[in-house]
Amino acid sequence: MPELPDVEGFRRALAERLPGRRIRHVHVCDAGILRNASARSFARRLVGRRFAQPRRHGKWLILPTDGPVILVHSGMTGHPHYAPSTEAREDHERLVLTLDRGEFRYADQRKLRGVWIAADDQVSAVTGPLGPDALTVDRATFADILGARRGKLKPALMDQALLAGLGNLLSDEICWQARVNPLCPIADLEPADVGHLYSRMRQVLRTSVRHGRVPGLRRWLTGVRDAMDPACPRCGTPLQRGRNQGRGTLWCPRCQAP
DNA sequence: GCAATTGTTGGGAG
DNA sequence: GCTCCCAACAATTG
């Protein structure tokens, strides 16, 4: 399910357990999950290392050690987590690092992304270009990013190289709350629209991070988007469905008139 | 069987 | 170069 809020939840949970733990043993249950190393070299480079404080940039979870850095991208179904050694494994557990106390585990049903290893100064070579993190970007930078972009709003919000962390659900939610059409050309936005987008983005992200995921609140678009014939939670108008970059897009034709 | 799903990537079109 | 769209990746669900 991961978008930024999920990954931030993973990070916070790991931050309480991982720092200082030493890696004793590496068990790669499914080598397909390792994207830039063999199971053998992955293990060789990590055994004996000690975890430091986990970080996050957009949807990337960054797990530094006193040696290399482990990079996790959860795709749609990945779940990095800490567990006591005695705790039963989840389904689709792909990687288990036995620590001096407990285990770091990575479970992932679909394996759309996975796990990378890199030297500390090679992180961006793995992640590729990333814009500022959506949770901490300031208002002026946000406006500058949109101002420099030519096309439609939603593809820009979802472009990780522009702004890191927003996915399909969050982008729709933010546009709806800001009452801006997701397919609107950015050039047509008023300065006030950009301001609303920024404010709603902050609010949506804060609330979502508090929930550890994008919540399906009744007064949010997320609360109705899986309904058969969803209506706008604000005005009751039947919502409109579209397709954008192969993903479902949902908006209110009245509140978000193009 | 078909379509859809909250992730990214690469190729190709305009 | 920028922007956008599709197919692909994989597994499951309606």
Side-chain angles (χ1 to χ4, degrees), chain A residues 42-62:
Chain A
F42 188 80
R44 182 176 49 74
R45 292 167 70 182
L46 287 173
V47 168
R49 295 303 187 178
R50 215 180 259 284
F51 275 111
Q53 193 68 34
R55 307 196 301 267
R56 180 191 58 75
H57 190 155
K59 302 170 192 174
W60 284 93
L61 178 64
I62 303 164

Side-chain angles (χ1 to χ4, degrees), chain A residues 88-258:
Chain A
R89 301 229 170 122
E90 283 187 21
D91 285 343
H92 313 293
E93 211 81 73
R94 309 293 184 184
L95 175 67
V96 176
L97 306 187
T98 307
L99 310 174
D100 48 6
R101 188 165 73 239
E103 296 177 344
F104 169 80
R105 302 176 181 175
Y106 181 65
D108 193 343
Q109 181 196 99
R110 283 172 65 180
K111 301 193 288 181
L112 282 172
R113 307 295 282 139
V115 176
W116 287 253
I117 185 169
D120 191 53
D121 56 356
Q122 293 298 307
V123 167
S124 62
V126 170
T127 64
L130 292 176
D133 189 79
L135 193 57
T136 50
V137 67
D138 64 72
R139 189 176 287 268
T141 307
F142 179 80
D144 287 348
I145 288 170
L146 286 187
R149 176 84 173 194
R150 214 82 18 224
K152 300 180 205 167
L153 176 58
K154 182 171 174 182
L157 292 177
M158 291 183 62
D159 188 337
Q160 302 300 301
L162 256 44
L163 187 64
L166 302 184
N168 195 43
L169 236 55
L170 282 171
S171 300
D172 278 2
E173 187 66 40
I174 291 162
C175 290
W176 177 77
Q177 291 202 15
R179 301 180 187 244
V180 178
N181 192 285
L183 306 181
C184 178
I186 292 169
D188 295 353
L189 295 178
E190 304 288 341
D193 293 327
V194 177
H196 291 143
L197 284 166
Y198 180 77
S199 304
R200 297 326 301 164
M201 177 178 75
R202 283 199 72 86
Q203 176 59 36
V204 167
L205 285 178
R206 281 185 196 197
T207 303
S208 299
V209 164
R210 202 156 57 231
H211 286 257
R213 52 169 302 188
V214 183
L217 301 177
R218 206 187 300 272
R219 293 167 54 202
W220 281 24
L221 195 63
T222 51
V224 299
R225 72 177 296 140
D226 293 329
M228 195 122 72
D229 294 303
C232 176
R234 224 164 15 213
C235 72
T237 303
L239 294 171
Q240 197 148 343
R241 277 189 200 283
R243 195 142 270 284
N244 207 262
Q245 302 157 292
R247 316 225 82 86
T249 297
L250 196 61
W251 73 92
C252 172
R254 180 158 164 217
C255 301
Q256 298 167 274

Side-chain angles (χ1 to χ4, degrees), chain A residues 13 22 27 38 73 83 177 185:
Chain A
R22 195 182 286 280
H27 179 50
S38 64
H73 194 300
Q177 291 202 15

